[in-house]
Amino acid sequence: MSSKILLVEDESKIARVLQLELQHEGYEVSLAEDGRKGLDMALAEPWDLILLDIMLPELSGLEVLRRLRQQSAVPVILLTARDAVPDRVSGLDQGANDYVTKPFAIEELLARIRNLLRLTTQQSQAENEQILQAEDILMNLKSREVTRMGKSVELTPKEFDLLQYLLQHKGEVKSREDIISDVWGYDFVGDTNIVDVYIRYLRQKLEKNFPGKLIHTIRGVGYLIKGSGPDES
């Protein structure tokens, strides 16, 4: 079943090109040409993702986003002017998931859409599963509690996100680049060594006072969780 995308864009030429490109990729696309209509459509039915221009008649994109977030957590990508840094910051603060700046390459937008839809699907699956487990470690996604051998382990939000990702891909080797993209996000700018730093944090909390390794290093590839056993690092 194709994903449903709502495109809120008042520039008709841009809207038409985007609609055709998205439809060519297999998405079901509906258009709204002003902020008020866009908000009404956004709240009227479920969407998999919304592309929201900031500069809109009737209601600005930021106002649409502010009102939308009072009732919906639907993923939103903002379409912004290249020099509109304050608007981008405000949009992210109000709950936008990502943004692209005009003019943009359609390939970049499509990549961001795929990435956000994939992350949303993973989060939805995780919410449905509720409990993740590997050997003697349990993660409750609803309460965000982590235990090993029945003992509570306190994690920071990012440590929790990283552990959740590794547990959801138990038995799979995940590269630093995969982890950066899926845990830190498509737009992360920084050294991939941040992954090694957080892996070390997790090992300190999950392995130091417990028997057996949990997180394994595959040299030159990445990390995985496969249960207890000798570490390969």
Side-chain angles (χ1 to χ4, degrees), residues 61-109:
L62 293 180
E63 180 61 18
V64 171
L65 178 62
R66 186 187 70 79
R67 299 188 189 187
L68 179 64
R69 280 294 177 255
Q70 295 174 356
Q71 302 183 50
S72 173
V74 60
V76 173
I77 296 179
L78 294 177
L79 308 179
T80 77
R82 185 168 298 277
D83 58 352
V85 174
D87 285 343
R88 296 201 295 271
V89 172
S90 179
L92 292 171
D93 285 344
Q94 292 185 43
N97 300 85
D98 200 356
Y99 66 85
V100 292
T101 54
K102 296 179 180 180
F104 51 80
I106 188 64
E107 292 81 5
E108 178 186 4
L109 177 61

Side-chain angles (χ1 to χ4, degrees), residues 22-230:
L22 292 169
Q23 289 175 338
H24 179 72
E25 293 296 315
Y27 299 115
E28 181 182 338
V29 184
S30 297
L31 297 177
E33 66 276 5
D34 64 63
R36 191 169 299 279
K37 182 178 179 182
L39 179 61
D40 290 342
M41 292 178 65
L43 296 175
E45 57 182 292
W47 303 92
D48 295 298
L49 185 142
I50 295 177
L51 294 175
L52 178 61
D53 189 27
I54 285 184
M55 299 297 292
L56 292 169
E58 300 294 333
L59 288 176
S60 73
L62 293 180
E63 180 61 18
V64 171
L65 178 62
R66 186 187 70 79
R67 299 188 189 187
L68 179 64
R69 280 294 177 255
Q70 295 174 356
Q71 302 183 50
S72 173
V74 60
V76 173
I77 296 179
L78 294 177
L79 308 179
T80 77
R82 185 168 298 277
D83 58 352
V85 174
D87 285 343
R88 296 201 295 271
V89 172
S90 179
L92 292 171
D93 285 344
Q94 292 185 43
N97 300 85
D98 200 356
Y99 66 85
V100 292
T101 54
K102 296 179 180 180
F104 51 80
I106 188 64
E107 292 81 5
E108 178 186 4
L109 177 61
L110 292 173
R112 290 174 184 268
I113 289 172
R114 288 193 297 269
N115 183 66
L116 187 51
L117 288 174
R118 176 169 50 80
L119 289 176
T120 303
T121 299
Q122 290 175 348
Q123 290 169 0
S124 177
Q125 290 173 343
E127 289 170 0
N128 290 336
E129 291 174 0
Q130 297 298 316
I131 300 293
L132 298 178
Q133 181 175 5
E135 296 294 332
D136 54 12
I137 187 168
L138 290 174
M139 171 179 279
N140 187 313
L141 298 174
K142 188 173 182 179
S143 65
R144 294 184 69 85
E145 294 176 339
V146 175
T147 61
R148 186 165 191 196
M149 298 181 68
K151 298 180 180 179
S152 179
V153 180
E154 295 294 327
L155 300 179
T156 67
K158 188 55 69 178
E159 290 168 353
F160 185 95
D161 292 343
L162 175 56
L163 179 60
Q164 177 181 341
Y165 178 74
L166 293 174
L167 288 172
Q168 287 172 330
H169 296 87
K170 183 173 61 175
E172 300 178 36
V173 180
K174 287 298 179 180
S175 69
R176 292 169 179 83
E177 291 74 18
D178 287 338
I179 295 171
I180 284 289
S181 175
D182 294 339
V183 178
W184 270 263
Y186 185 89
D187 268 346
F188 177 79
V189 177
D191 197 324
T192 56
N193 284 339
I194 190 69
V195 174
D196 303 323
V197 171
Y198 273 84
I199 289 290
R200 186 164 66 248
Y201 292 161
L202 283 180
R203 282 174 166 161
Q204 283 288 320
K205 294 182 176 182
L206 294 169
E207 298 178 358
K208 187 175 181 180
N209 298 315
F210 298 95
K213 295 292 184 180
L214 178 69
I215 302 172
H216 300 264
T217 302
I218 306 302
R219 284 195 183 93
V221 184
Y223 298 101
L224 85 158
I225 286 180
K226 60 180 181 180
S228 60

Side-chain angles (χ1 to χ4, degrees), residues 12-26:
S12 58
K13 290 183 179 179
I14 293 177
R16 184 56 179 160
V17 169
L18 287 177
Q19 182 181 34
L20 291 175
E21 290 285 354
L22 292 169
Q23 289 175 338
H24 179 72
E25 293 296 315

